[in-house]
Amino acid sequence: MTDIILFDYWRSSASYRVRIVLNLKNVPYTRMPTSLLENEQKAAAYVARNPQGFVPMLSIDGHDLTQSLAIIDYLDANYPDPAMVSSAPVERAKTLAQALIIAADIHPVNNLRVLRYLKDEMGQSQEAVDTWYRHWILEGFHALEAMAPDDGLFGGDLPNLADVCLVPQMANARRVDTPLDRFPKLSRIDAALTALPAFIAAHPDQVKPD
């Protein structure tokens, strides 16, 4: 079988999601670290394969796949156990809505390139950038807390796509000292997930450069 190669950056939330899913599905892969701080994702050879110049990119089955949720969708279709979304239309829609609160609403406005623009082009202080970051996390988390189950994970007994998106975003929230005491359900789910081997192995501290 052709080697599966994940081009990622150790602290990228989107990369973290894909690492979790690869681990949950027991898909063997090789990491190709791609430093966002050194702009390796903008190298000509990389952009030729990934025109957006983002991470992650998964080289699999002769394809270079980009965008974390699209990559996860491909993995779900080809490695269905465990499923990241339900085959039942309503449950699938609910899970996608929960995941997209993070992947489409919180994460894009807090991406490294946006934070750099705020600081370098707009002249904002680090304190202002961190306040921006926390604002969008809090706005999304308030909605997600209301959607979270009272017991179990978003996926019930097994993690689903919403769970996979939650854990990296909770790590980001802690990194900028976001108050999380008002989100007891999200905190409970995060604690349960981060104790699982697939999540432990995908954690940024496990893959960061020496």
Side-chain angles (χ1 to χ4, degrees):
M1 184 176 67
T2 304
D3 288 342
I4 299 172
I5 301 174
L6 177 65
F7 295 79
D8 77 344
Y9 177 58
W10 67 278
R11 208 162 70 176
S12 156
S13 299
S15 298
Y16 192 176
R17 295 172 200 148
V18 174
R19 291 195 303 266
I20 292 168
V21 174
L22 287 165
N23 293 344
L24 285 170
K25 293 177 178 293
N26 293 309
V27 177
Y29 69 98
T30 301
R31 287 186 62 245
M32 183 65 69
T34 306
S35 175
L36 301 186
L37 294 182
E38 298 177 14
N39 289 317
E40 291 178 350
Q41 81 284 5
K42 298 299 183 183
Y46 187 86
V47 172
R49 300 172 65 177
N50 180 354
Q52 275 194 299
F54 290 172
V55 293
M57 177 172 72
L58 187 69
S59 177
I60 184 171
D61 300 334
H63 305 288
D64 290 328
L65 305 180
T66 62
Q67 291 288 347
S68 63
L69 266 61
I71 293 170
I72 292 168
D73 184 66
Y74 181 89
L75 293 171
D76 229 20
N78 288 278
Y79 303 89
D81 186 28
M84 292 294 99
V85 293
S86 173
S87 59
V90 171
E91 292 305 315
R92 177 186 178 88
K94 288 180 179 179
T95 297
L96 287 172
Q98 293 158 354
L100 287 168
I101 287 175
I102 294 171
D105 295 334
I106 300 175
H107 180 224
V109 293
N110 282 344
N111 200 289
L112 179 60
R113 66 193 181 111
V114 173
L115 303 181
R116 279 177 166 171
Y117 189 86
L118 287 170
K119 195 169 185 178
D120 298 340
E121 303 298 327
M122 303 297 289
Q124 297 300 309
S125 67
Q126 187 61 54
E127 182 181 0
V129 171
D130 289 347
T131 298
W132 164 282
Y133 201 116
R134 287 190 290 269
H135 171 82
W136 298 113
I137 290 175
L138 290 170
E139 185 168 283
F141 275 11
H142 279 298
L144 199 59
E145 176 75 11
M147 295 179 177
D150 292 326
D151 299 297
L153 310 174
F154 277 103
D157 294 332
L158 295 173
N160 69 5
L161 183 62
D163 294 302
V164 166
C165 289
L166 174 66
V167 167
Q169 196 58 63
M170 290 288 281
N172 289 344
R174 292 189 181 95
R175 198 169 74 244
V176 294
D177 299 320
T178 307
L180 297 174
D181 54 312
R182 66 193 79 176
F183 309 115
K185 291 191 286 186
L186 298 184
S187 296
R188 172 184 55 76
I189 293 168
D190 177 67
L193 291 167
T194 53
L196 299 176
F199 285 78
I200 293 171
H203 192 281
D205 287 347
Q206 299 297 318
V207 299
K208 69 181 179 182
D210 295 333

